Amino acid sequence: MKKLFHPKLFSVLQQGYSREQFTKDLFAGIIVGIVALPLAIAFAVASGVSPEKGLITSIVAGFIISVLGGSRVQIGGPTGAFIVIVYGILQTYGLDGLIISTILAGFFLIAFGLLRLGSLLKFIPHPLVVGFTSGIALVIFTTQIKDALGLQLEDMPSEFLAKWGTYFSNLDQLNPTALVITVVTILISVYFKKITTKIPGSFVAIVLVTAVVQLVGMPVATIETVFGDIPQTISLSVPSLDFSQLHLYLAPALTIALLGGIESLLSAVVSDGMIGGNHRSNTELIAQGIANVVTPFFGGIPATGAIARTATNVKNGGRTPVSGAIHAVTLLFIMLFFGGLAKLIPMSCLAGILIVVSYNMSEWRSFVSILKGSAFDILILLVTFFLTVLVDLTFAIEIGIVLSALLFMKRMADAGANPEFEIDSDVLENYSDLPKGIGIYEISGPFFFASAKQYSSTLKLIGLKSQVLIIRMRHVPFIDSTGLHNLKDVVKQIQNSGTKVYLSGVRPNVMKDLDKGQLFELIERDNVLSAFDQALYKAAEGLKQKAV
């Protein structure tokens, strides 16, 4: 039986840790620390708290998540997804309420891990994830318009449409200098990578823009004019807690825990694909929980796995949790010795960085791709998106999951009522007689959000051991966008390893969805056969040609 809590760092140290890998982890950790600096400050400010709280979260939570987590390369800290939630909790319950909610969320996450709920990620449909991620991105973009335009507005409405109404009615207050700073920040953040990818554009933008603003004396709002000095120390503090009011914080705590759990495990799954690894989901949840219990006592805000920073870690050579720990130490060093300079950063510069973050979060390519798919997936996507933007993130996720379940039942009923599909012959049903090098995997049942992860994991296992893989789909009544997303990912990985992939017995309605989902950009149409014996013959011929 697998250990319930087994941090990856312990495994790395037990297996042996070389000086060469430490050098790579050291470099990656320092780079990620520099990348995290502007993001930590920007996320904190956008959430309605002081800048140092973002730095403290990246330092304390980032260190704990790396040391105790179930992923080799996960980087933890504040993320854009939490901006909307943190801001809302602050408005309703105040700072103490946010601290208590975060601590309770940590205990929820620990409980999720202890109850082995890590695998529940597979029950979150892809259109739902894209819908609420895109919705959050639009909300973040909307919150930054005030600082991007340099508008001096004291009382901003919380509703999405009301915010835009306020912006349009106050355009006469626009500060041209702030707008220029925002545009310049965006351009540097986006295009500096054409010069070098070693130093993040957002960091360069902050340094250059802040220096110019201070030297020229431009009339724009800065962190100092809005928040005052940034403390350069980390101290322990205990929130005042009235146990009779504890029940008030259960709902926001559960929201933080659910979103944190989903985002951290999604990030871990993405990083697995980048390094060819396997994270320990329950260990990761427990580590995320511990981080969220501890961090608020030092003045931090909710933390989770950060996909962009995790990807940066991998791309720069980080392969063990040591790089994540070094990222936290790098930020601590910057805060202790250079934190005083951070107060000079213009608010419009932070707005520019967050506008770029919101664009990268938007997943607009996935959004457009799903809009080309089935009506069921489009409905889940749009309902989740509009509820996230116009109502509430928690409500959007709840409705999205219920709607996904109802639509799944509808699709199954339709499949049962219309069983028409091409008959796949049963030639050579005994797979032990197959030529060596050919792998077979038969999918029986709908390839949808609840089964996609399991099917894809097994496909990858068989495909990487074979020279040719035939995927039999005669018993697949439908495939949803989550299944298609996972199938494309695993086919890409298998084919990159040199394995040829064939499909057999694909039903006409499934074929149509595969076509819409652009699977045939990965698998040639000639390798999609109506019957298994045809696929087997073609696979055997391909093996002979390889041998020659």
Side-chain angles (χ1 to χ4, degrees), residues 240-511:
S240 58
L241 175 59
D242 181 355
F243 283 95
S244 66
Q245 301 295 309
L246 197 62
H247 64 282
L248 297 175
Y249 307 113
L250 293 177
L254 190 58
T255 301
I256 293 171
L258 287 173
L259 182 59
I262 291 168
E263 189 170 5
S264 64
L265 294 181
L266 277 174
S267 177
V269 168
V270 170
S271 65
D272 281 350
M274 295 176 75
I275 65 172
N278 285 299
H279 74 282
R280 296 165 184 156
S281 57
N282 295 312
T283 296
E284 185 65 23
L285 287 177
I286 293 171
Q288 297 281 344
I290 294 170
N292 280 287
V293 168
V294 173
T295 304
F297 288 103
F298 292 92
I301 56 178
T304 185
I307 294 176
R309 276 159 277 171
T310 299
T312 302
N313 182 32
V314 173
K315 288 174 184 174
N316 284 282
R319 288 297 180 274
T320 78
V322 174
S323 60
I326 290 171
H327 130 272
V329 173
T330 301
L331 279 170
L332 176 62
F333 179 84
I334 293 172
M335 181 179 178
L336 294 179
F337 296 100
F338 301 101
L341 297 174
K343 67 183 180 183
L344 304 176
I345 300 171
M347 296 297 290
S348 48
C349 180
L350 291 180
I353 289 170
L354 282 170
I355 287 171
V356 174
V357 168
S358 63
Y359 173 81
N360 292 334
M361 273 185 71
S362 67
E363 296 199 50
W364 66 269
R365 291 179 182 85
S366 296
F367 199 100
V368 171
S369 174
I370 294 170
L371 287 177
K372 295 176 182 175
S374 75
F376 298 104
D377 291 329
I378 293 171
L379 182 60
I380 294 169
L381 174 77
L382 294 180
V383 167
T384 308
F385 174 77
F386 284 114
L387 286 177
T388 299
V389 172
L390 300 175
V391 185
D392 173 71
L393 176 64
T394 312
F395 186 64
I397 294 174
E398 290 169 353
I399 295 297
I401 290 174
V402 171
L403 186 61
S404 299
L406 291 173
L407 291 178
F408 166 69
M409 289 188 280
K410 171 75 167 61
R411 293 179 87 157
M412 285 302 292
D414 289 347
N418 301 287
E420 180 193 351
F421 64 96
E422 293 186 23
I423 302 298
D424 192 7
S425 71
D426 291 323
V427 175
L428 279 175
E429 204 63 37
N430 182 2
Y431 293 158
S432 62
D433 295 336
L434 293 173
K436 190 177 180 182
I438 296 181
I440 308 291
Y441 185 62
E442 179 158 4
I443 301 172
S444 295
F447 202 150
F448 75 121
F449 62 87
S451 60
K453 180 71 178 172
Q454 184 179 352
Y455 283 149
S456 299
S457 299
T458 311
L459 269 171
K460 182 179 176 182
L461 207 63
I462 297 171
L464 294 178
K465 291 178 181 177
S466 311
Q467 294 178 332
V468 174
L469 174 66
I470 300 174
I471 305 173
R472 301 189 70 177
M473 300 184 71
R474 56 181 175 164
H475 296 310
V476 177
F478 68 84
I479 183 168
D480 70 2
S481 92
T482 309
L484 187 55
H485 176 76
N486 283 329
L487 181 60
K488 286 170 68 177
D489 276 352
V490 77
V491 166
K492 202 177 297 180
Q493 290 177 53
I494 291 170
Q495 294 197 144
N496 285 342
S497 73
T499 302
K500 193 90 170 173
V501 178
Y502 295 86
L503 303 181
S504 78
V506 183
R507 301 188 185 197
N509 62 307
V510 176
M511 184 76 82

Side-chain angles (χ1 to χ4, degrees), residues 56-68:
I56 290 168
T57 305
S58 287
I59 293 165
V60 179
F63 188 83
I64 292 172
I65 288 168
S66 290
V67 171
L68 299 180

